[in-house]
Amino acid sequence: MSRYALLLAPSANRVYADQAGRLARAELAAFGAVLSSDISDIDALLLGGVEYLTFTASLSPRDISYLSNLSSAYALFERVDELLKPLTLTPLARYDSDLITIPKYAGKTNEQFTKLVLNLTLLASASAGRMLDGGLTVLDPLCGRGTTLNQALMYGYDAIGIEVDGKDVEAYKLFLQTWLKRKRLKHTADLVPVRRQGRRAARRLEVTMAASKDDHKAGAIQKVTVLQADTTQLDGLLRGGVADVLVADLPYGIAHGSYDDQGGLSRSPLDLLERAVPHWLPLVRPGGALGLSWNTKVARRELAEDILLANGLEIVRHEPLAHRVDQGIERDVLIARKVG
């Protein structure tokens, strides 16, 4: 067994950075599900005035590849006596990082946190062992302008999003298409109407892309689909079992809300969750997992868990991830698995 030291990445969000060590500890523990070695003695340690996360394990090359994708990983070292031996990280990064970092808009979720929630959801699913191998599909049924979709693309996965706001769908199309053209990557992007029972029920953005010309020639193409539709009214718009994992950032009840059955704006994430989960579950394959984040100031955790349990999901326990975002938002993460 060896002792390791993980240097955490600096965060652009000061409030998030203040709690990054605790969140990284919970995420590191979750990665234990796919590593060949047990992780023990996780602790914070100051070395040269810089905080590291230290732990004991016996890491194989594939284990290091897994840990390279920790949302807060900046550098990994093996501790040899009082020295630090650097280990090469090989994160999944199919595209340049500006695919994630360029978009800036009000209400955007911190991209480091988005990656953390996606990681936890993948690790709780039946697809955990395939995390490094591609070929997975991520669904975000409240995708906004696509932060989670872009993170899925970075991992080499396909992505499906649902967003009721047409302006957000158009903004995402404009960004992604402009980015792909600037990077000179082979792609197609079409926004077309979708009809149900002879009437237009939604709009569908279909994007195909490849990370290089060689990938395109070899057929290694990724797909992004975004439906402009109400996430609680999806009958006939998507086939069942399209996603390996579902990740969603529920309305925080501050700047974001959702529409209720009468067409009014609701600020309650629990109201949305109760109406949406029965529509979401058929889209997730057996053994898939759901990862949800929300504002605990407007919705208690136990009530959110009750909704998921009532729909036959199994709650996946992890170390505490609740943290302050700002004066009006205390954010938490809830992971659940689809069984059977």
Side-chain angles (χ1 to χ4, degrees), residues 81-268:
D81 297 324
E82 296 302 314
L83 301 178
L84 296 178
K85 176 185 175 181
L87 301 175
T88 301
L89 295 181
T90 56
L92 295 169
R94 196 169 179 82
Y95 301 95
D96 294 339
S97 61
D98 57 1
L99 175 62
I100 301 287
T101 58
I102 282 179
K104 305 291 182 186
Y105 51 88
K108 179 185 177 182
T109 303
N110 177 287
E111 53 261 27
Q112 192 171 319
F113 177 74
T114 297
K115 186 176 181 180
L116 179 146
V117 179
L118 177 56
N119 283 346
L120 291 175
T121 310
L122 285 166
L123 293 167
S125 75
S127 303
R130 297 164 53 207
M131 180 180 180
L132 302 178
D133 305 323
L136 302 179
T137 300
V138 176
L139 168 65
D140 183 350
L142 302 166
C143 70
R145 297 192 185 186
T147 304
T148 299
L149 307 184
N150 290 343
Q151 182 58 60
L153 292 174
M154 287 289 288
Y155 274 1
Y157 305 157
D158 290 344
I160 300 172
I162 301 164
E163 175 55 46
V164 71
D165 191 330
K167 291 182 179 179
D168 280 348
V169 175
E170 290 164 5
Y172 181 63
K173 176 181 183 295
L174 177 62
F175 163 73
L176 189 55
Q177 200 166 14
T178 301
W179 187 87
L180 289 165
K181 287 179 180 177
R182 186 165 57 82
K183 298 292 181 178
R184 298 183 179 181
L185 298 177
K186 289 277 190 179
H187 68 280
T188 64
D190 299 296
L191 185 59
V192 298
V194 177
R195 297 190 174 277
R196 183 170 55 188
Q197 297 178 344
R199 301 178 61 184
R200 195 176 100 164
R203 290 194 300 171
R204 183 192 302 266
L205 171 64
E206 294 277 4
V207 180
T208 64
M209 54 195 286
S212 67
K213 290 182 180 179
D214 289 341
D215 281 350
H216 190 269
K217 288 179 182 178
I221 293 172
Q222 291 173 259
K223 296 180 180 179
V224 185
T225 302
V226 181
L227 278 178
Q228 182 198 333
D230 187 330
T231 196
T232 66
Q233 299 177 26
L234 299 176
D235 292 344
L237 298 179
L238 287 169
R239 62 181 175 82
V242 294
D244 297 286
V245 294
L246 180 153
V247 176
D249 204 18
L250 300 176
Y252 288 175
I254 306 296
H256 302 99
S258 61
Y259 292 99
D260 59 27
D261 293 335
Q262 287 72 46
L265 188 66
S266 170
R267 298 291 185 185
S268 170

Side-chain angles (χ1 to χ4, degrees), residues 249-250 252 292-296 299 301 304 330-334:
D249 204 18
L250 300 176
Y252 288 175
L292 307 174
S293 58
W294 81 102
N295 181 11
T296 60
R301 181 184 182 91
E330 293 277 349
R331 188 165 54 195
D332 202 357
V333 178
L334 180 56

